Amino acid sequence: MRFLSRICIYDKERICVEDLNLKPVQKAALSLIQNDLRFLYTVIKRINPNESNYIPSLLPYMGVIIDGAEEWVKAINNSSKVKLKIPAFSKSEQTYYEEMRNSIKMWQNDYSVIYETLKEAYHVSDDYFGNVCKPIAKKFKLYDIFGVDRANGVICGNTILYYYYTPLFLYGRNNGEYIKAMSVIGGKYIKLFNGKRLILG
């Protein structure tokens, strides 16, 4: 397995992996984290937002990767004299990424639990859109409360799932701007681990 030879920090300082005195398991974890971050970077760079809204479907996986990278950095900084100079999560970022990471666990539940979870999300959507439409539309249920998203002609998600996947989602708020603000730290980790290289294919 090929490991990183360097970790790039803010384009100003470079720390060699050898300086961190990593154990073989830590090196293996580092290599896996870098590959995962490169995958995220590649997917995000190659998505055409006019053709697909694939990002919400990616959020649980993104949470696992970024939260895992932050945990790895904390562990290295606690055990090495050479410190990786990247900010730890703020309290709000910690909450955000933990919720995002935990959303992937929904699929480990029994079918009945998944059904109730998504039914609740459906009713929240129904309540919101039912209250913003005209009374006649509400009476006859003449309004849409969810949509289906496709990537390359294949269904890849829907807005009810996205409601569940998106941490602290609120109808009526610009959730895209909130996601963007919370993703800044993720971009810093991609840069730290030299993940800004597209995967070919």
Side-chain angles (χ1 to χ4, degrees), residues 70-87:
E70 198 255 359
E71 289 293 326
W72 187 89
V73 168
K74 284 196 298 189
I76 293 301
N77 284 346
N78 288 335
S79 63
S80 176
K81 292 180 180 178
V82 180
K83 307 300 181 186
L84 298 174
K85 298 177 181 177
I86 184 169

Side-chain angles (χ1 to χ4, degrees), residues 4 6 8 34 38 190-197:
L4 281 173
R6 293 185 181 273
C8 177
Q34 184 194 36
R38 284 185 62 209
I190 288 173
K191 192 171 185 179
L192 169 71
F193 285 94
N194 196 21
K196 290 179 66 175
R197 290 184 293 130

